[in-house]
Amino acid sequence: MSPTKSDHKTDQYRRKFLAQSAAVAGLSIAPGIVLNQVAHAKADSDKASDTNRWGMLIDTNKCSKGCTDCVTACQDENGWGTGETHSSKEQQAQWIRKVTITDKQTGHVQSLPLMCQHCETAPCVDVCPTGASMQRKDGIVQVDKHICIGCRYCMMACPYKARSFIHEKLELQKATAPRGIGTVESCNMCAHRVDKDQNPACVEACSKAEHGAMIFGDLKDANSAISIELKKHGGEQIRADLGLNTGVRYQGL
C-alpha cells in the first residue's frame, strides 16, 4: 500500500516530536556526552544553500596504495582517532579509510579512500528516528550530536559502512567537530571548512602532496573544476545500482 499525504504528515510530526524529546532529555539519553561550542556548530550549518551541491571526485589511478595523507589530514582536522581509549581496535572511529580492491579476474589492485558518500537520497537520514542524521541544503550529510540517541539504525542502513559509534569517553576534542560517547559520527565533508570557502582537509592534503587524486567542488556549477572533469572524463558511483546519487564519485574503477 502506498503512503498517503496523511501518513507523510504523521511521520513529520513523529520526527519533530522525537527530536524535541531527545533535545530535552539531553545527557540522560547519552550519558557522558561532551559537546564543544554548540552554538557555533549550529550557526555554521545556517550558511548552507541549495544553490550548491558539494561533491568530491577521486581518481583511483592517482591514489597511491601506501599513501594515507588524506586519512591523517582528516584525523588532525576533526580530532577522531586521538584522545580515545578503546578496548579493541574495531571500536576506533573511522571517518575516512583506505581500502584495497582487487579484480578477481585480472588481479588488478586499486587503492582508494572511502568515506560517507553524501547521498542525495541518504538511507541514514531516512531511518533516523530523531532527525539527528540530517542533510544540509547543500547536500552535505552529517549527524546532529545534540539529538542523536545512539540507536545505530543509520549504521545498519549505510551501504558503505561509513559511520562509527563512540563507545567510550573522549578527550582532546576539536571545537569545530563536537563528539560524544553514545553517538554516531562520520565524514561531514569538513563542513566548517566548506562554509569558509576552503577545501576539505583530505583534498587539501592530497593537493599539497601533489598527488592530484581528489577534486572538491560544486556539482551544480557547470564551470567548477569538478563539473568540467566529470563532463570530460566521467565518474562512477560505488553501488550506483542503489540509486542514491552520491556526492562522491570515482574515476578509474
Side-chain angles (χ1 to χ4, degrees):
M1 182 181 294
S2 300
T4 65
K5 289 184 177 180
S6 177
D7 293 331
H8 181 64
K9 285 185 176 180
T10 300
D11 184 63
Q12 286 183 322
Y13 292 145
R14 176 174 171 271
R15 285 173 178 264
K16 183 177 181 181
F17 171 77
L18 287 171
Q20 291 173 338
S21 298
V24 172
L27 298 180
S28 63
I29 290 178
I33 189 170
V34 179
L35 301 172
N36 290 323
Q37 297 191 4
V38 173
H40 174 73
K42 284 184 172 295
D44 279 347
S45 65
D46 294 337
K47 298 177 182 178
S49 169
D50 58 8
T51 59
N52 310 113
R53 169 83 196 281
W54 299 115
M56 194 179 296
L57 177 61
I58 300 170
D59 188 340
T60 62
N61 293 316
K62 297 178 180 179
C63 187
S64 173
K65 181 180 179 181
C67 178
T68 57
D69 287 356
C70 58
V71 177
T72 300
C74 182
Q75 286 182 305
D76 291 343
E77 180 69 28
N78 297 294
W80 61 271
T82 59
E84 301 179 18
T85 303
H86 301 284
S87 55
S88 66
K89 185 177 180 180
E90 289 73 21
Q91 290 184 351
Q92 183 176 349
Q94 281 189 314
W95 288 28
I96 179 174
R97 65 189 190 277
K98 288 293 293 291
V99 299
T100 300
I101 298 177
T102 303
D103 189 316
K104 293 182 179 180
Q105 293 183 334
T106 65
H108 179 61
V109 178
Q110 292 174 295
S111 179
L112 56 91
L114 187 64
M115 70 290 277
C116 172
Q117 300 291 289
H118 298 278
C119 310
E120 181 179 45
T121 307
C124 58
V125 174
D126 288 341
V127 302
C128 180
T130 68
S133 286
M134 48 84 70
Q135 186 175 50
R136 299 193 344 164
K137 293 178 181 179
D138 55 14
I140 294 178
V141 176
Q142 55 187 14
V143 181
D144 185 340
K145 306 298 180 60
H146 315 99
I147 55 177
C148 176
I149 59 175
C151 67
R152 287 173 272 189
Y153 288 167
C154 60
M155 293 181 68
M156 291 183 281
C158 177
Y160 308 104
K161 296 183 179 179
R163 295 201 158 189
S164 302
F165 181 77
I166 304 303
H167 293 267
E168 302 175 31
K169 186 177 179 180
L170 304 173
E171 297 178 356
L172 306 176
Q173 295 187 61
K174 300 284 186 177
T176 52
R179 309 171 66 214
I181 186 172
T183 64
V184 176
E185 60 184 29
S186 64
C187 160
N188 62 1
M189 210 172 271
C190 285
H192 62 284
R193 293 176 61 93
V194 174
D195 290 339
K196 296 177 181 178
D197 299 321
Q198 299 174 345
N199 281 329
C202 59
V203 178
E204 183 177 273
C206 188
S207 178
K208 283 185 177 180
E210 299 184 350
H211 295 156
M214 307 176 82
I215 300 176
F216 173 79
D218 187 0
L219 295 171
K220 286 188 176 181
D221 180 3
N223 296 315
S224 66
I226 189 172
S227 293
I228 292 173
E229 181 64 21
L230 283 169
K231 184 176 181 180
K232 189 175 181 179
H233 297 293
E236 298 180 52
Q237 302 178 58
I238 295 180
R239 292 300 309 271
D241 58 303
L242 297 176
L244 303 177
N245 189 17
T246 60
V248 180
R249 303 295 174 96
Y250 293 84
Q251 290 178 337
L253 291 180

